[in-house]
Amino acid sequence: MKLSKIHCKECGGILNLDIVSHIKNQKLVCPYCQSIYIYEANYSDIGAELEADIERIRLEEEKENFKEFWKLKKLKEDKKVGFISLLILFSIPLIGFLVMTTNYLIVHRPGQIELPISEKKLHGENYKNVELKFEDMGFENIKYEKVRDLKLGLFAHSGDVSEVTINGDNDFKKGDNYNKKSKIKIYYHVFPK
């Protein structure tokens, strides 16, 4: 900001205020009529005008600084709100993805096979059909063993499943998960020799 123009009281010429500093009792000489003015607010008209001008400029600068301070503060708050909004915006899909992935891993467990049938439902089926079911599910280690317990063949036929175990467990249910390399053992009825 510039100081307002101050005129010499004697000749009306414009005084050069660029040479005036903030030091009290400084002399100011008119370049046209060589009148001398002392820059002291308490003792001269010129000094009072300069003091008022400087005070006005200081207040305007203070006001501008205050506006800039609040603008900067608002800008920082806006950036903070924007950052939080972006964080929330990106967090929602990420959380959704993590929940879905976790849910999938809990339900499907990688390397695990979810059984679609319980052990009890396999009783009475032909052991070859049961073996094919386990192969179709993805199991790789399937064995079978004869149980020589048939007498007449009225209640069970030769080749009918009597029991199936997975890793020695014969109490598996639909929805249980097992590794594809688990040991499947199919026991089936046959007549004794």
Side-chain angles (χ1 to χ4, degrees):
M1 290 199 161
K2 293 185 178 180
L3 294 169
S4 57
K5 293 179 183 178
I6 296 180
H7 299 278
C8 176
K9 301 282 185 198
E10 301 296 322
C11 71
I14 297 173
L15 297 175
N16 185 1
L17 298 177
D18 292 339
I19 60 168
V20 176
S21 70
H22 294 295
I23 301 169
K24 301 284 184 185
N25 299 323
Q26 180 180 352
K27 286 184 181 178
L28 181 62
V29 178
C30 176
Y32 306 105
C33 68
Q34 305 303 315
S35 297
I36 297 175
Y37 295 96
I38 297 177
Y39 169 54
E40 175 58 56
N42 296 336
Y43 301 108
S44 74
D45 295 340
I46 300 290
E49 286 180 44
L50 287 174
E51 281 291 326
D53 230 10
I54 290 170
E55 183 63 19
R56 179 185 52 77
I57 290 170
R58 187 188 65 75
L59 289 173
E60 285 178 12
E61 285 176 351
E62 198 174 274
K63 186 177 176 183
E64 286 298 316
N65 289 341
F66 191 70
K67 282 181 185 175
E68 288 298 317
F69 169 78
W70 284 108
K71 251 193 228 178
L72 185 62
K73 187 168 183 169
K74 185 175 180 340
L75 184 65
K76 283 181 181 179
E77 287 174 3
D78 289 349
K79 281 184 181 180
K80 189 176 181 181
V81 168
F83 176 74
I84 291 170
S85 299
L86 278 176
L87 189 63
I88 290 170
L89 187 66
F90 285 112
S91 295
I92 290 171
L94 181 64
I95 290 169
F97 174 75
L98 289 174
V99 167
M100 288 178 8
T101 303
T102 304
N103 192 23
Y104 177 82
L105 292 176
I106 289 170
V107 172
H108 294 94
R109 296 184 188 155
Q112 299 282 312
I113 299 171
E114 183 178 337
L115 297 177
I117 194 164
S118 67
E119 193 269 341
K120 303 283 187 238
K121 297 278 184 184
L122 299 172
H123 288 221
E125 286 193 45
N126 183 281
Y127 75 97
K128 285 289 188 187
N129 291 341
V130 173
E131 179 184 21
L132 286 174
K133 284 183 183 181
F134 279 99
E135 283 177 354
D136 288 345
M137 285 183 236
F139 287 101
E140 300 171 352
N141 190 5
I142 304 169
K143 308 274 186 223
Y144 37 89
E145 190 174 307
K146 298 175 185 173
V147 179
R148 301 179 187 281
D149 63 349
L150 288 179
K151 302 270 187 229
L152 299 173
L154 293 175
F155 300 107
H157 300 73
S158 183
D160 287 353
V161 171
S162 67
E163 180 182 45
V164 178
T165 62
I166 302 176
N167 293 330
D169 178 21
N170 68 348
D171 193 29
F172 57 85
K173 296 171 207 65
K174 179 180 178 178
D176 287 351
N177 290 287
Y178 289 93
N179 189 296
K180 64 183 181 177
K181 296 184 187 282
S182 297
K183 293 179 183 178
I184 311 291
K185 199 153 195 187
I186 304 169
Y187 297 90
Y188 63 96
H189 299 286
V190 292
F191 288 102
K193 287 189 179 181

